[in-house]
Amino acid sequence: MMASRTAPTLALIATVGFHQTWPAPNAVLQSGTLSFTGHSTVGDFVGTTTAVTGGVTGNAELANAHGWVEAPITTLSTGNRLRDRDLRATMDVANYPTMRFELAGVTVESPAAPSDTVTGALRGVLTIHGVTRDVAIPATLIAAGDTIDVSGAFPVDLADYKVGGLTRLFGTLRVQHKIDVRFRVRFEATPHTPT
């Protein structure tokens, strides 16, 4: 699912919270942060990237909003060169260079106290390591002016995406299949349709 200004996606959704409509314009991702926390036999570690791109196509119905967010795997950094090298090898970046989420709609669960904030689920498909799966990602959307901030966290089981090779040093170093993903992205309205 990334940080920066606050409001593009969230604000538009917040405004829609009570009416279930989203009179949002097309928007492009202006900034974002995607990170994951991995768990291994030698402790937890975090991988982060800010090389995130994306766009949203406006729609009168929030439930039918469409968009995408993508990041190159090679830009994920854990702060350890050897671990980053192993990460790229495990994720087979030569064949699967990006991870991508394609939004098919938003389910509003509850508008929050400030009318510019909404919580719900981003429905769509997540592609990692060449495997695409249906997902519903819990998220908070905050709108401010012509920007929308979207943030959330969700678990990913790498086994679901056929990611193997999580054992090193003859089995003494193991990384768990389950990771925790966090994102924060900011979208800004644009007169052009995002591609």
Side-chain angles (χ1 to χ4, degrees):
M1 82 164 212
M2 315 174 160
S4 201
R5 294 188 312 203
T6 15
T9 302
L10 301 186
L12 295 180
I13 295 177
T15 305
V16 177
F18 294 103
H19 306 35
Q20 299 297 308
T21 60
W22 188 18
N26 294 329
V28 294
L29 194 146
Q30 290 299 310
S31 61
T33 301
L34 171 66
S35 66
F36 73 91
T37 301
H39 314 282
S40 77
T41 50
V42 295
D44 293 350
F45 59 94
V46 176
T48 305
T49 181
T50 57
V52 183
T53 57
V56 174
T57 301
N59 194 298
E61 297 295 325
L62 184 59
N64 298 321
H66 286 79
W68 60 277
V69 173
E70 183 175 88
I73 302 290
T74 56
T75 63
L76 283 167
S77 173
T78 66
N80 179 305
R81 242 177 6 155
L82 293 176
R83 186 167 47 215
D84 291 348
R85 183 196 65 195
D86 287 346
L87 169 66
R88 291 178 178 89
T90 298
M91 297 300 290
D92 191 6
V93 295
N95 292 308
Y96 311 110
T98 60
M99 52 193 153
R100 181 179 176 102
F101 172 69
E102 294 188 34
L103 177 68
V106 179
T107 301
V108 175
E109 292 172 2
S110 65
S115 62
D116 64 349
T117 302
V118 166
T119 60
L122 309 176
R123 295 180 281 94
V125 295
L126 179 63
T127 302
I128 300 173
H129 196 241
V131 177
T132 301
R133 296 178 64 89
D134 291 331
V135 294
I137 300 173
T140 299
L141 300 93
I142 300 167
D146 62 351
T147 64
I148 297 174
D149 289 333
V150 183
S151 62
F154 62 103
V156 169
D157 188 337
L158 295 174
D160 291 342
Y161 295 90
K162 301 187 186 319
V163 176
L166 300 176
T167 302
R168 297 280 188 272
L169 301 174
F170 306 105
T172 58
L173 173 60
R174 285 188 215 114
V175 176
Q176 294 179 14
H177 282 277
K178 294 187 179 177
I179 61 173
D180 302 305
V181 177
R182 293 185 153 321
F183 63 93
R184 178 181 280 292
V185 290
R186 170 166 287 173
F187 291 89
E188 187 169 293
T190 173
H192 305 292
T193 303
T195 56

